[in-house]
Amino acid sequence: MKKLLLTLFVLFGLLFVVIQPVLAEIVPAAFLNHNLKFYQVTTSKGNDLTNVYLTEGFEQNKTPDMVSLIYSKTGINLNSTFAASKQYYGAAGTIGSAKKTKYKMAISFLEKSEGGCFYKIIKIEDNKIAGSNVALLKINVPADKANIKTLDQKYFQTFYKTIFPNVLNQNGETVPHIYPLNLGEQKFVLKYSAYDENDISNYYLPRKQNFYNYKSIVRVNTRSDINSPEKLADMIVQSQNTVKGFKLIANETCKKDSLISYTTNEINLKQNKKYISYSIFKITPVKKGVVSIQYSIRIPDDEKAAKTISDTEQTYRELLKTYEVPELIREQMGMLPDPLENDYMEQTK
């Protein structure tokens, strides 16, 4: 949180070290009557990328109007950032509009400057792949026109809805980088990745799904502290014993690997709908520890559930017996939702 707020504050002043990008044709940004010319790519110590757009003629203007587009690959928690932003800017200046939904937030405010004011808006939203997109607007306003309500009426809602160009890195490539994974006929992309000195965890979802609404998910993990697939299989089974509806379908050894599958019960709290969660794991020994791949789906708890589970079990058990665990991505990327923000919850016994 401190890193994010510091990044926003520095951007609204002026910028970091400039990276001269190798870029093809840059799509200019447009917002209401402001035509914005691509200026530069900057990077922060946390490797967040920023594309800066300034009003035309900025070469002769020391304080041009500006839109900065930031990609934060590790994500930003909207709830805590919204609260912190209101607190900070409430103390530092005049707050105007503030709006937040599950996937997006925005806040506007005024700051005094020499000879006038800056009108500013921060907008943060979840990136559709992983991480967060931030858009920052800064407009010079004469002191006699610095009315936050009037400015909000003109700018806030339009800025909130505007879809800006994708953030580009120094090579002119759109971020985030896409890491695909195919499992049978299903296609997934990497949406969360974390690692430490010893282990890696990669989470894949269908491209248009997120951690709030996914129907299927693939997890690939390493465990350097466990020396056999059977041991990890037993630990997984034990951890699920407290979940309502837990039913072990199969637990077998296939050559050097362990294959386990089971079902548990889940409920969508907002919709008050019940689901059966089906999971199957393949656990393989590696040079140091084990690596596991898990495929899970959420199945509506209705008269078709039993057949869906049976068909899924047959298909993916045979598939995983010969499926090679994909190469693990050693990158910090994306963010898992806070458990309190999740729409789905396992039902405990």
Side-chain angles (χ1 to χ4, degrees):
M1 176 58 59
K2 289 182 179 179
K3 185 200 82 169
L4 167 70
L5 290 176
L6 178 61
T7 298
L8 299 181
F9 305 155
V10 172
L11 271 168
F12 270 147
L14 219 32
L15 309 165
F16 326 136
V17 176
V18 176
I19 299 175
Q20 292 299 333
V22 180
L23 299 174
E25 183 179 354
I26 301 297
V27 178
F31 173 65
L32 289 178
N33 61 334
H34 295 264
N35 294 314
L36 300 149
K37 182 177 179 182
F38 179 84
Y39 178 58
Q40 63 188 22
V41 174
T42 68
T43 185
S44 71
K45 291 181 180 179
N47 294 319
D48 293 343
L49 285 164
T50 302
N51 292 176
V52 180
Y53 293 82
L54 303 177
T55 48
E56 293 184 358
F58 65 84
E59 296 88 350
Q60 293 79 37
N61 187 348
K62 293 182 180 180
T63 54
D65 295 339
M66 176 177 74
V67 169
S68 294
L69 307 178
I70 305 170
Y71 172 65
S72 172
K73 68 178 184 178
T74 52
I76 298 166
N77 184 289
L78 296 180
N79 285 336
S80 56
T81 303
F82 188 67
S85 297
K86 287 184 71 175
Q87 181 179 5
Y88 178 86
Y89 293 115
T94 303
I95 287 184
S97 297
K99 185 174 182 178
K100 180 187 172 299
T101 63
K102 192 165 194 175
Y103 307 112
K104 181 162 62 172
M105 59 148 282
I107 187 168
S108 69
F109 58 97
L110 283 173
E111 278 187 359
K112 291 183 179 179
S113 66
E114 292 184 11
C117 289
F118 290 130
Y119 172 71
K120 303 179 181 182
I121 306 175
I122 303 171
K123 178 174 71 172
I124 305 173
E125 56 191 322
D126 293 345
N127 184 275
K128 291 181 179 179
I129 298 298
S132 301
N133 295 333
V134 183
L136 310 176
L137 172 71
K138 183 177 79 170
I139 295 177
N140 292 285
V141 181
D144 59 347
K145 295 184 179 181
N147 184 299
I148 191 72
K149 290 185 178 180
T150 301
L151 291 165
D152 278 346
Q153 288 175 355
K154 181 177 181 180
Y155 291 109
F156 187 83
Q157 194 63 23
T158 302
F159 190 77
Y160 187 82
K161 293 181 178 180
T162 296
I163 300 174
F164 290 103
N166 291 322
V167 174
L168 305 176
N169 65 16
Q170 53 266 44
N171 297 318
E173 302 163 332
T174 300
V175 291
H177 181 75
I178 305 297
Y179 296 98
L181 180 146
N182 293 337
L183 186 64
E185 297 180 355
Q186 292 201 66
K187 295 182 179 181
F188 299 85
V189 295
L190 184 68
K191 298 226 173 185
Y192 173 78
S193 178
Y195 71 94
D196 57 25
E197 184 177 350
N198 298 311
D199 291 306
I200 304 172
S201 183
N202 296 161
Y203 287 52
Y204 293 84
L205 297 176
R207 192 179 186 110
K208 293 185 178 181
Q209 295 180 25
N210 58 48
F211 288 108
Y212 299 98
N213 66 16
Y214 73 82
K215 293 180 175 60
S216 58
I217 186 172
V218 174
R219 298 183 179 97
V220 186
N221 300 284
T222 62
R223 287 291 298 266
S224 58
D225 60 332
I226 296 174
N227 56 17
S228 75
E230 293 81 8
K231 182 177 180 181
L232 179 57
D234 290 342
M235 291 173 62
I236 292 170
V237 171
Q238 290 174 16
S239 71
Q240 295 299 315
N241 270 325
T242 59
V243 182
K244 186 176 180 180
F246 172 69
K247 180 180 178 182
L248 182 64
I249 299 173
N251 185 354
E252 67 171 314
T253 299
C254 181
K255 297 181 181 180
K256 60 181 180 179
D257 305 324
S258 286
L259 286 166
I260 63 169
S261 55
Y262 60 85
T263 59
T264 56
N265 289 356
E266 285 189 349
I267 186 168
N268 185 305
L269 299 174
K270 288 190 174 182
Q271 299 177 1
N272 196 28
K273 291 183 179 180
K274 293 181 179 180
Y275 291 82
I276 298 174
S277 176
Y278 166 87
S279 294
I280 183 167
F281 289 77
K282 176 180 180 177
I283 309 168
T284 302
V286 291
K287 187 175 182 180
K288 186 178 180 181
V290 297
V291 60
S292 66
I293 180 167
Q294 174 191 3
Y295 170 72
S296 297
I297 60 171
R298 286 177 171 138
I299 303 165
D301 190 0
D302 55 26
E303 67 278 0
K304 299 178 182 178
K307 186 178 187 308
T308 302
I309 292 168
S310 177
D311 292 345
T312 305
E313 165 72 8
Q314 183 177 352
T315 299
Y316 284 90
R317 180 162 294 275
E318 289 305 309
L319 173 64
L320 287 180
K321 283 181 179 179
T322 57
Y323 186 82
E324 291 189 12
V325 177
E327 181 180 353
L328 284 133
I329 307 301
R330 193 178 182 86
E331 181 178 356
Q332 301 287 358
M333 177 179 174
M335 178 178 59
L336 296 176
D338 186 285
L340 296 176
E341 298 172 0
N342 205 331
D343 289 347
Y344 293 83
M345 181 175 292
E346 290 183 332
Q347 294 181 278
T348 56
K349 292 181 179 179

